[in-house]
């Protein structure tokens, strides 16, 4: 018997159903077997079905795709005995339970899921996909060119992991993740995390969006016309102002040169400490290379700066930055390896790699959303395996069930995980099996 538990946008269990045969459509239409009312869910988004005793999921041409254990489903995928399925804003957790009898159970009627709280959204503008909407329902709404992102943008100007929009209660913050073509907010390049306000224009590479409340609608074509007209006038006005300012500045410079030429005492400006200037220049060059991820060039600049600054305590910064390059390089390599393992579905191994990333590095910030997803996937998988062993009823399986329940609880200390831990402990006590109780958090 397979059971699917549905979590809504707020992480609350919305409903569950069990089945051992049949086919069930999931989508936004009321004619679907499971109705998920969200703009991030397509009209007919996916289909879950049983074939030869195995459970499969099929993407029915949805806009935002079907993600199973962090990987996008291309056509159909075998869900095994435990899987995490993402459909738009919702998470569906599949578990296989050994049946106690042979009665078949079906979804008897359409299952409606409450839409919950509306989230803000991004509406695409100024290209052939204008009007496409993405609901920002996650705490970490990742944006990029690969399937592991919450918002997938297939455009050559988009990096693999381009940007992220953080959701904190009613506050949304946008942050670039070291993308090649950058992220801009209202025309200004992002250099740090910035708060979003309704109506803001956000550009990821060449792809442009407007940030809006979830229940607000716009006509993207009207918006594009308004934006284009204003920009054109503003550009001409800016050019005229700059031209006048440039002429004035040029005259002032010429006048200054003639004035200074007559005063031999002030004509030459001497750098009082050329070594200090060179050290500062090398440090700035190193910081630029560090920002770009060019570890060897950054290390070379900081090494040279530290060598020149020998005996100058005020330049401890050069040595500290040189040490930081090593940590950043290590973090970037671990992040790449963790992403690779995650894409292969090797979630436990991927999680272990990401946990090794040094704290405070940029890689640790970028790994946060992936690590949160892996924590959820791995803990639910461990919980499912512990339940399977527990339901088998074999005494020799109880220690292994307790070990897996403890591992799941160590990752996720939610009440459901603690309740499972308590249940296994009670079974162990009933059977007279000694165990080391797990400390509660």
């Amino acid at each position: 018997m397979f059971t699917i538990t549905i979590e809504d946008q707020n992480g609350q269990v919305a409903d569950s159903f069990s089945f051992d045969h049949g086919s069930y459509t999931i989508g936004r239409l009321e004619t679907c077997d499971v109705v998920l009312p969200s703009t991030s869910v397509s009209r007919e988004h996916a289909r879950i079905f049983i074939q030869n005793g195995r459970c499969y999921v099929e993407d029915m041409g949805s806009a935002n795709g079907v993600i199973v254990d962090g990987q996008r489903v291309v056509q159909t995928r075998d869900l095994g005995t435990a899987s995490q399925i993402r459909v738009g804003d919702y998470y569906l957790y599949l578990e296989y339970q050994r049946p106690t009898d042979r009665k078949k159970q079906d979804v008897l009627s359409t299952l409606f899921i409450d839409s919950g709280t509306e989230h803000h959204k991004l509406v695409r503008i100024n290209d052939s996909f204008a009007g496409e909407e993405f609901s920002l329902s996650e705490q970490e709404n990742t944006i990029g060119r690969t399937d592991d992102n919450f918002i997938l943008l297939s455009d050559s100007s988009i990096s693999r992991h381009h940007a992220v929009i953080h959701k904190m209660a009613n506050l949304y913050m946008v942050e670039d993740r070291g993308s090649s073509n950058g992220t801009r907010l209202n025309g200004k390049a992002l250099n740090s995390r910035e708060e979003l306000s309704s109506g803001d224009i956000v550009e990821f590479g060449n792809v442009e969006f407007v940030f809006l409340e979830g229940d607000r609608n716009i006509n993207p074509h009207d918006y594009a016309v308004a934006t284009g007209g204003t920009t054109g006038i503003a550009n001409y006005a800016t050019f005229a102002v700059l031209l006048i300012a440039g002429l004035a500045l040029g005259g002032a410079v010429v006048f200054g040169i003639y004035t200074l030429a007559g005063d031999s005492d002030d004509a030459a400006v001497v750098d009082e400490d050329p070594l200090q200037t060179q050290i500062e220049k090398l440090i700035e060059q190193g910081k630029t290379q560090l920002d770009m991820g060019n570890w060897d060039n950054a290390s070379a600049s900081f090494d040279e700066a530290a060598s020149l600054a020998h005996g100058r305590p005020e330049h401890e910064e050069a040595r500290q930055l040189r040490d930081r390059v090593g940590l950043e390089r290590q973090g970037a390599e671990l992040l790449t390896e963790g992403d690779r393992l995650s894409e292969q579905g090797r979630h436990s191994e991927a999680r272990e790699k990401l946990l090794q990333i040094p704290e405070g590095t940029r890689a640790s910030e970028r790994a946060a959303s992936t690590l949160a997803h892996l924590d959820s996937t791995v803990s639910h998988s461990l919980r499912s395996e512990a339940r399977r062993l527990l339901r088998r009823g074999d005494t020799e399986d109880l220690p292994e069930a307790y070990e897996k329940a403890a591992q799941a609880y160590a990752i996720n200390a939610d009440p459901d995980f603690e309740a499972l831990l308590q249940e296994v402990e009670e079974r162990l006590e009933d059977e007279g099996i000694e165990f080391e109780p797990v400390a509660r958090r």
Side-chain angles (χ1 to χ4, degrees), residues 326-332 334 353-365:
L327 292 176
E328 293 288 353
R329 186 201 300 265
Q330 179 188 0
L334 287 167
K353 286 290 181 185
L354 296 184
L355 287 173
Q356 296 173 33
I357 295 176
E359 292 185 8
T361 59
R362 295 177 184 183
S364 67
E365 296 177 4

Side-chain angles (χ1 to χ4, degrees), residues 116-137:
T117 305
E118 286 289 336
H119 303 280
H120 281 61
K121 62 187 177 182
L122 292 177
V123 180
R124 194 161 176 170
I125 57 176
N126 291 333
D127 63 16
S128 58
F129 295 97
E132 186 177 16
E133 296 186 359
F134 296 94
S135 178
L136 302 172
S137 59

Side-chain angles (χ1 to χ4, degrees), residues 50-250:
I50 300 292
Q51 183 175 310
N52 298 324
R54 306 287 295 179
C55 188
Y56 297 85
V57 65
E58 176 189 7
D59 188 340
M60 299 177 70
S62 63
N64 293 323
V66 178
I67 311 298
V68 174
D69 294 334
Q71 291 184 293
R72 186 161 186 157
V73 175
V74 177
Q75 291 180 337
T76 61
R77 174 162 171 162
D78 188 340
L79 295 174
T81 58
S83 291
Q84 181 197 67
I85 311 159
R86 193 175 83 195
V87 176
D89 298 337
Y90 297 85
Y91 282 97
L92 287 66
Y93 295 97
L94 176 89
E95 295 181 63
Y96 175 75
Q97 302 168 345
R98 187 178 297 277
T100 56
D101 55 45
R102 292 295 175 182
K103 285 185 68 177
K104 291 186 175 181
Q105 183 174 350
D106 235 337
V107 179
L108 300 179
S109 60
T110 299
L111 185 63
F112 289 92
I113 304 300
D114 183 55
S115 61
T117 305
E118 286 289 336
H119 303 280
H120 281 61
K121 62 187 177 182
L122 292 177
V123 180
R124 194 161 176 170
I125 57 176
N126 291 333
D127 63 16
S128 58
F129 295 97
E132 186 177 16
E133 296 186 359
F134 296 94
S135 178
L136 302 172
S137 59
E138 302 288 286
Q139 287 185 326
E140 303 288 335
N141 299 276
T142 55
I143 298 149
R145 202 175 67 245
T146 55
D147 293 341
D148 55 336
N149 289 282
F150 182 65
I151 297 177
L152 174 64
L153 299 177
S154 300
D155 188 276
S156 60
S157 68
I158 303 297
S159 297
R160 288 169 54 85
H161 300 99
H162 196 105
V164 59
I165 294 178
H166 307 272
K167 180 179 182 293
M168 295 169 283
N170 294 323
L171 185 68
Y172 290 83
M173 307 285 288
V174 62
E175 180 181 10
D176 188 77
R177 300 178 74 186
S179 63
S180 300
N181 295 310
T183 301
R184 289 170 294 282
L185 176 60
N186 296 322
K188 181 180 178 182
L190 277 185
N191 296 315
S192 61
R193 189 179 294 190
E194 296 286 345
E195 182 179 350
L196 288 168
S197 299
S198 181
D200 280 348
I201 302 299
V202 190
E203 299 171 70
F204 308 105
N206 297 331
V207 186
E208 192 171 0
F209 294 89
V210 58
F211 173 76
L212 296 168
E213 297 91 341
D215 57 354
R216 181 180 168 190
N217 295 312
I218 62 166
N219 185 328
H221 301 293
D222 292 345
Y223 198 93
V225 170
T227 303
T230 303
T231 303
I233 295 171
N235 285 342
Y236 282 116
T238 303
F239 175 77
V241 171
L242 290 175
L243 179 60
I244 295 170
L247 292 172
L249 181 60

Side-chain angles (χ1 to χ4, degrees), residues 124 263 370 409:
R124 194 161 176 170
D263 189 345
T370 302
Y409 178 73

Side-chain angles (χ1 to χ4, degrees), residues 274-292:
L275 183 59
Q276 171 82 2
T277 302
Q278 180 64 14
I279 292 170
E280 292 175 353
K281 182 178 179 181
L282 286 167
I283 288 176
E284 289 305 313
Q285 289 176 350
K287 287 180 178 179
T288 300
Q289 295 300 317
L290 183 62
D291 289 341
M292 297 172 63

